[in-house]
Amino acid sequence: MNLKTLESRLQTVLEWVPYGIHADIGADHAYLLGNLLDQNRIAKGIAIEKNREPFELALRNLQKFQDRAEARLGDGLTPLKAGEVDSISICGMGAGLMVKILQAHAEKVPDQVIVQPNDSAEPLRRWAMQNMFHVKQETLTVGFWHYPVLHFQRAPGEDPVYQGLNLEVALRFGPWLLRRKDPFLLDYVQKQKKRLQNLANVSNPRVQQDLERVEMALRMLQ
Ligand SMILES: C[S@@+](CC[C@H](N)C(=O)[O-])C[C@H]1O[C@@H](n2cnc3c(N)ncnc32)[C@H](O)[C@@H]1O
């Protein structure tokens, strides 16, 4: 296993994983866990894979860490016991699938959740808001496109990061990214505006509502 070449999206996840017992769901080759263990950033790592081929790859790649690592074959959080891990990561899938995985075993979701969806993070922000998690940090990483990475932390009450922001705009584009005036987000929102303006059905009320939100985001970012 080459431990030195994590893509920037996985490098960000690695830097945000807190010390403790960590499970990576959909671990594939287990590069993320391998690096976490190699750098002693976690006490123990559990790779979870639904498919046998990547599961066996993870098993092989984690062998050298002996009792500090395990690979388990199974769907989402099913192979975990409640309270067994301090944190989980889910990377490289669609946000909708990630939400399904989190909802399927709510009792097994630990206090720290780090996600890197391949598409819009909006469903994950909505999941967090409905399940008493706050957005601790979020960023856009450079890759084939700008992959979002989000760190959720279980916390009581309303998430203060949304205070004073238009909720729908913030859930869609990211409260921290808007507050920081993130340049990658600005680029994305400008492209969204052009895309919406060029739609044949631009006068459709839903497209108009989308355009309004995009323009609101642009006002915050510029
Ligand atoms: C595109 S790969 C991403 C691999 C790695 N996490 C990354 O970001 O580079 C998605 C992996 O998740 C696994 N997977 C998909 N759905 C899963 C589920 N419900 N439970 C566990 N693993 C799953 C797939 O087998 C595949 O290996």
Side-chain angles (χ1 to χ4, degrees):
M1 162 165 48
N2 186 348
L3 288 171
K4 295 219 171 89
T5 51
L6 276 189
E7 290 168 60
S8 125
R9 63 187 178 89
L10 292 181
Q11 180 63 31
T12 300
V13 175
L14 171 134
E15 284 164 17
W16 289 359
V17 170
Y19 191 82
I21 303 179
H22 181 77
D24 188 35
I25 319 299
D28 198 356
H29 33 59
Y31 284 169
L32 173 63
L33 281 181
N35 276 272
L36 282 164
L37 288 159
D38 199 58
Q39 296 173 29
N40 289 314
R41 284 175 176 267
I42 53 171
K44 183 180 170 178
I46 303 173
I48 295 185
E49 250 306 326
K50 188 174 147 179
N51 293 303
R52 183 159 289 278
E53 212 176 302
F55 161 73
E56 281 170 2
L57 201 58
L59 207 56
R60 221 175 24 247
N61 284 337
L62 293 175
Q63 231 166 18
K64 71 179 230 190
F65 300 105
Q66 299 176 350
D67 57 356
R68 294 175 62 217
E70 263 184 65
R72 298 183 189 170
L73 186 63
D75 188 338
L77 304 181
T78 312
L80 287 179
K81 290 192 220 80
E84 191 182 5
V85 295
D86 302 300
S87 57
I88 57 168
S89 50
I90 320 178
C91 309
M93 305 176 199
L97 174 57
M98 292 180 175
V99 169
K100 277 192 192 142
I101 289 174
L102 292 164
Q103 284 175 334
H105 295 279
E107 76 291 356
K108 296 186 187 178
V109 178
D111 291 350
Q112 310 266 351
V113 176
I114 298 152
V115 289
Q116 179 271 297
N118 281 346
D119 51 4
S120 165
E122 181 176 349
L124 286 155
R125 292 192 192 96
R126 289 188 188 278
W127 166 84
M129 180 163 270
Q130 287 157 9
N131 290 276
M132 306 275 280
F133 280 81
H134 291 185
V135 190
K136 189 175 173 193
Q137 44 192 343
E138 64 180 346
T139 191
L140 292 171
T141 59
V142 179
F144 185 67
W145 53 70
H146 293 129
Y147 296 104
V149 181
L150 297 95
H151 184 171
F152 298 121
Q153 181 163 29
R154 189 174 269 120
E158 281 182 18
D159 186 345
V161 76
Y162 289 104
Q163 265 171 27
L165 298 181
N166 176 292
L167 186 59
E168 286 305 312
V169 174
L171 285 167
R172 165 97 179 270
F173 295 111
W176 286 114
L177 300 174
L178 287 165
R179 286 191 187 283
R180 265 206 314 274
K181 300 187 191 295
D182 186 284
F184 293 148
L185 181 63
L186 174 61
D187 182 57
Y188 171 78
V189 177
Q190 280 168 334
K191 284 182 182 141
Q192 286 296 307
K193 183 173 174 180
K194 277 202 190 111
R195 184 186 66 82
L196 290 167
Q197 283 172 330
N198 288 333
L199 285 178
N201 59 345
V202 66
S203 55
N204 176 304
R206 287 197 62 173
V207 177
Q208 281 299 313
Q209 189 189 48
D210 234 16
L211 252 177
E212 261 170 46
R213 287 182 183 157
V214 160
E215 274 162 3
M216 242 187 261
L218 275 178
R219 282 197 292 279
M220 287 190 68
L221 288 162
Q222 280 166 335

